[in-house]
Structure formats: C-alpha cells, structure tokens
Amino acid sequence: MKALIFDLDGVLVDSAKYHYLAWKALADKLGFEFTEKDNERLKGVSRMKSLEILLEIGGVIMSDDAKEAAATEKNDLYRSYIAKMTPDEILPGVEDFLKEVKAAGIKTAIGSASKNTPLILERTGLAKYFDAVADGTMVSKAKPDPEVFLKGAELLGVEPSECIVFEDAEAGVEAAHNAGMKAVGIGSPTTLGKAEMVIPNFVGFRLDKLKF
Ligand code: B16
Ligand code: MG
C-alpha cells in the first residue's frame, strides 16, 4: 500500500448536515417535507442526481432549466454555510490519523464527488494533509464509477492496486472496488458490508489497524 484516498463528506468532515439544510430549504419552498432519513439517499450522490431524488420524493416535475436554477439556488445556500466552517468541524480522530500517515511517508489524496471540495479543505485547514485532490470538478462520471479514485491515483503517480480508499457511502465502496482498490467503510457494517473493513469513525484508528 503506497497511498490512501479519502472521500470528504462524511469521512473527514460532516458537511451532510449543511447539504440537508440547503436541500430542505428548497423542499420547503416547493411545499413538501424532506426528512433527515430522506437525506441519507443523497450521500455521495452528485448534485444533479441529488436534486432528481429530492424531486421524486416530493412528486415534483421540473423542466431542465428550472432544475439548473434550483440546483444553483441550493448550492448558493450550501456555500454560505460551508464558508463559515472551522477546523472544529473536522470529524473526531481524523487529524491524528492524517498526521501519522504523513509522518509515515504515505501519499494521500481526496476523492470526492463535491465541486465544493476546495472551499471545505481551505475552511477546515485540511488542505495541508493532501498531496492531491480529485473532486467533482475533474470528473464526469459519479460513484460507483471509479473515475474520481482513478484520477486520485493518477495525480499521486501510483497504481490503483496500491491505494486504499476510505468511504462512508455504499456507492463509494463500489467505486473503490471498480477502481481495483480496497475500501475501508466509515460507518455501519449494515450499509458498508462490501468494504474489506468497516470502522465506526477514526477515533483511536492507527495505521497498524489497516489489515486486510
Ligand atoms: P456538491 P463526497 C458528495 O461528497 C456528498 O456526499 C453528496 O451529498 C453531494 O451531493 C456531492 O458530494 C456533490 O456535492 O454539490 O458540493 O458538488 O461524499 O463524495 O465527498
Ligand atoms: Mg461521502
């Protein structure tokens, strides 16, 4: 193993709550209920696909132009929230693990669907831990397609088989496998059962626990 590739939302930071608030504001405006349970379906999914799922939940039909406008409105509100993020919002245990990884000389990349990745990395101070960033601005195919993880490996100059991915979404674990990489699931074994290893979070997690 030469490199570790990290998903962003749900693995390093909890930006899902801001996605939820921004999508909920749109649902409120359109006049239907959107719950936190519904929001689970949007994790790891691209912005446009998320909007389509939201509209399906509300039983709302929209033209393509109206969808573009709604996605932009949601993103503007979401960015206003993440623009206020601080390093306190890095998930527990993450920074200790990243420090150990860097000290061990292992390469690191971000592999995220989010087009807002640079703003989040900058606001939280996480940028300094990563040698490369592959995000939603660089790929055209969403997870479970392996494109974003293959891009991460390419930017790092390593083979996909030398990478391990950390993911909180089922589609992300599948994307890692489709890239020929192993996956560590962050969250529940019920949803992430296909990963080679599942941990609840990074608290107390160390490199020597990475065993496959
Ligand atoms: P944006 P990840 C994903 O990030 C989120 O989990 C997902 O909920 C979001 O819709 C997607 O990014 C796109 O985000 O609207 O900011 O481009 O989990 O792949 O880091
Ligand atoms: Mg995620």
Short mmCIF file of all heavy atoms in Angstrom, two decimals, residues 7-11 43-44 112 143 167-169, ligand 2:
data_model
loop_
_atom_site.label_atom_id
_atom_site.label_comp_id
_atom_site.label_asym_id
_atom_site.label_seq_id
_atom_site.Cartn_x
_atom_site.Cartn_y
_atom_site.Cartn_z
N ASP A 7 -12.54 9.98 0.81
CA ASP A 7 -13.76 10.71 0.48
C ASP A 7 -13.81 11.89 1.47
O ASP A 7 -13.17 11.85 2.51
CB ASP A 7 -14.94 9.76 0.67
CG ASP A 7 -16.27 10.45 0.52
OD1 ASP A 7 -16.49 11.08 -0.52
OD2 ASP A 7 -17.10 10.34 1.45
N LEU A 8 -14.56 12.93 1.14
CA LEU A 8 -14.57 14.11 2.01
C LEU A 8 -15.81 14.15 2.91
O LEU A 8 -15.72 13.94 4.12
CB LEU A 8 -14.47 15.37 1.14
CG LEU A 8 -14.45 16.71 1.87
CD1 LEU A 8 -13.23 16.83 2.77
CD2 LEU A 8 -14.45 17.86 0.86
N ASP A 9 -16.97 14.37 2.28
CA ASP A 9 -18.22 14.48 3.05
C ASP A 9 -18.53 13.17 3.76
O ASP A 9 -18.68 12.14 3.11
CB ASP A 9 -19.40 14.81 2.12
CG ASP A 9 -19.33 16.23 1.58
OD1 ASP A 9 -18.55 17.03 2.11
OD2 ASP A 9 -20.09 16.53 0.64
N GLY A 10 -18.62 13.21 5.08
CA GLY A 10 -18.99 12.02 5.83
C GLY A 10 -17.80 11.21 6.29
O GLY A 10 -17.96 10.30 7.10
N VAL A 11 -16.61 11.52 5.77
CA VAL A 11 -15.40 10.79 6.18
C VAL A 11 -14.48 11.72 6.98
O VAL A 11 -14.05 11.40 8.08
CB VAL A 11 -14.66 10.19 4.96
CG1 VAL A 11 -13.28 9.66 5.35
CG2 VAL A 11 -15.50 9.06 4.36
N LYS A 43 -26.36 10.99 0.06
CA LYS A 43 -24.93 10.95 0.43
C LYS A 43 -24.09 10.32 -0.67
O LYS A 43 -24.39 9.22 -1.13
CB LYS A 43 -24.75 10.21 1.76
CG LYS A 43 -25.23 11.05 2.92
CD LYS A 43 -24.87 10.45 4.26
CE LYS A 43 -25.36 11.39 5.37
NZ LYS A 43 -25.26 10.76 6.69
N GLY A 44 -23.04 11.02 -1.06
CA GLY A 44 -22.13 10.51 -2.07
C GLY A 44 -22.64 10.65 -3.50
O GLY A 44 -21.95 10.32 -4.45
N SER A 112 -13.46 13.01 -3.96
CA SER A 112 -14.82 13.44 -3.56
C SER A 112 -15.66 13.85 -4.76
O SER A 112 -15.15 14.45 -5.70
CB SER A 112 -14.71 14.63 -2.60
OG SER A 112 -15.96 15.26 -2.44
N LYS A 143 -19.70 8.27 -8.66
CA LYS A 143 -19.58 6.99 -7.98
C LYS A 143 -20.91 6.26 -8.14
O LYS A 143 -21.94 6.93 -8.08
CB LYS A 143 -19.27 7.20 -6.49
CG LYS A 143 -17.96 7.94 -6.23
CD LYS A 143 -17.87 8.36 -4.76
CE LYS A 143 -16.66 9.27 -4.54
NZ LYS A 143 -16.57 9.79 -3.17
N GLU A 167 -14.31 5.47 2.74
CA GLU A 167 -15.61 5.91 2.20
C GLU A 167 -16.74 5.72 3.20
O GLU A 167 -16.74 4.74 3.95
CB GLU A 167 -15.95 5.06 0.96
CG GLU A 167 -15.86 5.75 -0.36
CD GLU A 167 -16.82 6.90 -0.59
OE1 GLU A 167 -17.81 7.06 0.16
OE2 GLU A 167 -16.59 7.65 -1.54
N ASP A 168 -17.73 6.63 3.17
CA ASP A 168 -18.90 6.47 4.04
C ASP A 168 -20.15 6.07 3.27
O ASP A 168 -21.19 5.83 3.87
CB ASP A 168 -19.19 7.76 4.81
CG ASP A 168 -19.72 8.85 3.92
OD1 ASP A 168 -19.15 9.06 2.82
OD2 ASP A 168 -20.73 9.49 4.27
N ALA A 169 -20.05 6.02 1.93
CA ALA A 169 -21.24 5.71 1.12
C ALA A 169 -21.05 4.38 0.40
O ALA A 169 -19.95 4.05 -0.05
CB ALA A 169 -21.50 6.83 0.11
MG MG B 2 -19.09 10.75 1.46
#
